[in-house]
């Protein structure tokens, strides 16, 4: 008999880090010589500027001196929600050569550790977990899709409140989508003095970008069929 597996409704820490690396347009490189802001234009984001290696792979390069470094990335919500920083990611290790802030070449780093910090705390991620994790097909499209939803279909966002259980409080002042990934959509419910994030999982995970639209429409259809009506105060 096949073991029962619970379907995932949220991305793992490794999946989130892969997505942040792929979508980030900038990162901070911290070395003994200081902090350098690096802008990651083009396909692949920060992931295209970093080659991670197993511990020991760059051992021959250590003769050039201390090359310890940290790569720091900040995950910022693409929509204008309250408290837009969603997470911070750090990759630590040893560089193959002294860092050149003017270079456009990829950075080779001997992996020492990686972690993600958010409202739930810190989670460490192994190199194996990063390398074995498939990139979320929505990672580099999330910002555009969420802003399109807010700018062109803002009437649909309050409709999704019908799927929130328990029903939202009457003091709700604003609702905006704050995150989108292959497993679902997250809404941020903003109240006068606080806010709450609510997860709306898709019926099934998105396998490719063309699959995203039908899953979002499935949520909207479920909201229209919902028995209760939650809406923003007028």
């Amino acid at each position: 008999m096949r073991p029962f597996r619970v379907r995932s409704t949220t991305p793992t820490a490794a999946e989130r880090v892969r997505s942040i690396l792929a979508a980030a347009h900038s990162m901070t490189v911290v070395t003994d010589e200081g902090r350098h802001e690096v802008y990651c234009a083009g396909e692949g984001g920060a992931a295209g500027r970093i080659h991670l290696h197993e511990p020991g792979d760059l051992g021959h390069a250590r003769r050039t001196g201390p090359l310890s470094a940290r790569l720091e990335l900040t995950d910022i919500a693409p929509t204008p929600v309250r408290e837009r920083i969603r997470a911070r990611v750090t990759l630590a290790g040893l560089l193959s050569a002294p860092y050149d802030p003017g270079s456009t070449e990829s950075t080779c780093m001997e992996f020492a550790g990686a972690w993600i910090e958010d409202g739930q705390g810190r989670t460490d991620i192994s190199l194996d977990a990063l390398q074995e994790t498939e990139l979320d097909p929505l990672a580099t499209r999330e910002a555009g899709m969420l802003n399109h939803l807010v700018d062109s279909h803002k009437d649909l966002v309050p409709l999704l409140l019908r799927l929130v259980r328990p029903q939202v409080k009457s003091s709700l002042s604003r609702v905006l989508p704050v995150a989108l990934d292959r497993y679902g959509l997250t809404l941020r419910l903003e109240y006068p003095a606080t806010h709450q994030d609510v997860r709306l999982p898709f019926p099934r995970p998105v396998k490719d970008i063309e699959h995203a639209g039908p899953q979002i429409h499935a949520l909207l259809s479920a909201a229209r069929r919902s028995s209760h009506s939650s809406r923003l105060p007028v």
Side-chain angles (χ1 to χ4, degrees):
M1 176 182 287
R2 246 184 222 179
F4 176 75
R5 295 181 64 185
V6 178
R7 182 173 67 84
S8 296
T9 58
T10 58
T12 65
E15 286 177 304
R16 291 181 64 198
V17 170
R18 281 292 309 274
S19 292
I20 292 169
L21 287 172
H25 297 300
S26 66
M27 63 180 172
T28 303
V29 179
V30 183
T31 67
D32 294 339
E33 298 174 348
R35 301 172 65 90
H36 308 280
E37 295 299 321
V38 178
Y39 296 95
C40 312
E43 292 293 324
R49 300 291 301 274
I50 307 167
H51 287 169
L52 297 177
H53 297 261
E54 296 282 353
D57 278 3
L58 304 179
H60 65 282
R62 297 183 194 177
R63 298 173 191 161
T64 60
L67 303 171
S68 61
R70 294 195 317 275
L71 310 181
E72 300 176 346
L73 302 99
T74 303
D75 179 32
I76 300 175
T79 51
V81 294
R82 182 188 299 162
E83 297 185 20
R84 293 183 66 181
I85 294 179
R86 301 187 297 193
R88 299 183 188 275
V89 168
T90 303
L91 304 174
L94 297 172
L95 298 183
S96 58
Y99 180 72
D100 178 4
S103 174
T104 58
E105 298 294 323
S106 296
T107 297
C108 288
M109 172 182 274
E110 183 179 302
F111 184 88
W115 57 91
I116 182 170
E117 297 172 280
D118 58 17
Q120 307 303 312
R122 167 174 160 162
T123 303
D124 293 327
I125 300 113
S126 69
L127 181 58
D128 285 344
L130 284 178
Q131 292 177 333
E132 293 170 4
T133 296
E134 179 183 354
L135 178 63
D136 190 315
L138 305 186
T140 59
R141 305 288 292 274
E142 178 198 22
M145 294 177 72
L146 288 184
N147 280 308
H148 176 73
L149 180 60
V150 171
D151 295 338
S152 302
H153 303 284
K154 58 185 177 183
D155 58 312
L156 298 179
V157 178
L159 175 64
L160 291 169
L161 288 174
R162 295 186 182 187
L163 299 178
V164 176
R165 299 292 189 278
Q167 191 168 353
V168 299
K169 302 173 185 177
S170 60
S171 59
L172 179 70
S173 57
R174 187 172 70 159
V175 57
L176 286 170
V178 68
L180 176 68
D181 55 66
R182 71 188 312 163
Y183 301 107
L185 176 70
T186 301
L187 300 178
R188 177 156 294 177
L189 313 184
E190 294 184 354
Y191 298 95
T194 187
H195 65 265
Q196 174 190 8
D197 289 349
V198 177
R199 184 86 178 163
L200 301 180
F202 291 142
R204 56 185 60 84
V206 172
K207 296 181 179 179
D208 53 58
I209 189 62
E210 289 76 17
H211 194 214
Q215 295 304 299
I216 293 173
H217 284 297
L219 287 181
L220 293 169
S221 296
R224 291 187 180 98
R225 295 193 302 268
S226 179
S227 60
H228 84 264
S229 175
S230 298
R231 40 178 131 164
L232 289 171
V234 281

